[in-house]
Amino acid sequence: TQTFLSVLHPAQTGMSVLRKLSIMALDNINELDVKNASPFPTALRYGVIGGLLVIVIGLIQYLLGITSTISQAVGWLSMLITIVFPVLAIRGHRDNDLGGYISYGRGLGTGVLTALIIGLVTAIWTILLYNVIDPSIMDQIMQVQAEAMEEQGMSDEDIENVATMTGKFMTAPVMAAIGFGTSLLFGFVASLIAGAVMKRERTIA
């Protein structure tokens, strides 16, 4: 019996060591996977959702009348989306993909990538709205601007000159570029702040 136990004890010890080594190997694999986790799926998910919400807001504005005061007030929600969703993407990537840890650079990159996707969706929507859905919107906007300048006492010649200059920029591609740039700018600023606030580095024991 003692001989059997003396043989069994080293075997049990060996199994215990092997088990610990296996756990350590799995831990290392998990750490490697976490480290190499791409932010793109998370940024794509939040970017597409944010972009779709911008489209919904745009449709509401269109139904209310693109030049109405209420419509312009609703439009500020689009700016809020370009701020909030990059922040949500940074938090989601940190908590769901990286095990609760994230560097400042990765957080910033995740937020900017999300804002970039929102901007692309917004740009596509803008081109469709002004070129396909209702090309007369540009004329409506310029008419409202002309009436506002007339109320300010500007002469017809001045109004016409301003309208000519404005008309060069009131095109779907230019409006889409402005929307894209605005989304990227707001998202970048939000990501700069959120990346610093949400940063959580791994401590090396």
Side-chain angles (χ1 to χ4, degrees):
T1 303
Q2 292 180 350
T3 303
F4 176 75
L5 291 176
S6 62
V7 173
L8 182 61
H9 179 70
Q12 290 176 337
T13 303
M15 290 296 293
S16 177
V17 172
L18 182 60
R19 180 174 178 274
K20 291 180 179 180
L21 290 175
S22 299
I23 293 174
M24 291 173 62
L26 290 174
D27 288 342
N28 290 335
I29 290 175
N30 290 336
E31 290 178 3
L32 183 63
D33 290 342
V34 165
K35 183 178 179 181
N36 294 332
S38 172
F40 182 74
T42 300
L44 180 63
R45 180 169 65 254
Y46 283 96
V48 170
I49 294 174
L52 291 176
L53 287 176
V54 171
I55 291 177
V56 170
I57 293 172
L59 287 172
I60 294 174
Q61 287 183 280
Y62 177 71
L63 294 175
L64 291 174
I66 203 72
T67 59
S68 68
T69 303
I70 297 178
S71 176
Q72 294 175 7
V74 171
W76 284 103
L77 292 176
S78 297
M79 296 297 99
L80 185 61
I81 288 174
T82 62
I83 294 173
V84 171
F85 273 75
V87 175
L88 294 177
I90 295 173
R91 187 183 66 178
H93 185 47
R94 182 195 67 183
D95 296 343
N96 300 327
D97 303 329
L98 302 177
Y101 299 93
I102 193 169
S103 65
Y104 176 73
R106 181 178 281 260
L108 175 61
T110 302
V112 171
L113 183 58
T114 305
L116 180 67
I117 295 171
I118 294 175
L120 287 174
V121 174
T122 302
I124 294 172
W125 155 251
T126 301
I127 292 175
L128 288 176
L129 177 63
Y130 291 120
N131 277 354
V132 179
I133 299 175
D134 191 350
S136 67
I137 291 179
M138 291 294 188
D139 295 332
Q140 297 176 29
I141 295 175
M142 295 185 67
Q143 179 62 34
V144 170
Q145 291 177 346
E147 293 174 356
M149 287 184 287
E150 186 176 355
E151 291 177 358
Q152 294 174 1
M154 294 179 64
S155 65
D156 292 341
E157 183 180 358
D158 290 338
I159 293 175
E160 185 177 353
N161 290 334
V162 172
T164 302
M165 291 294 296
T166 305
K168 297 178 180 179
F169 300 97
M170 293 291 288
T171 63
V174 173
M175 297 295 288
I178 293 174
F180 175 80
T182 302
S183 174
L184 195 57
L185 176 62
F186 277 75
F188 177 71
V189 173
S191 300
L192 279 175
I193 299 172
V197 173
M198 296 185 181
K199 180 182 69 172
R200 189 183 300 165
E201 301 280 2
R202 287 182 178 273
T203 57
I204 301 176

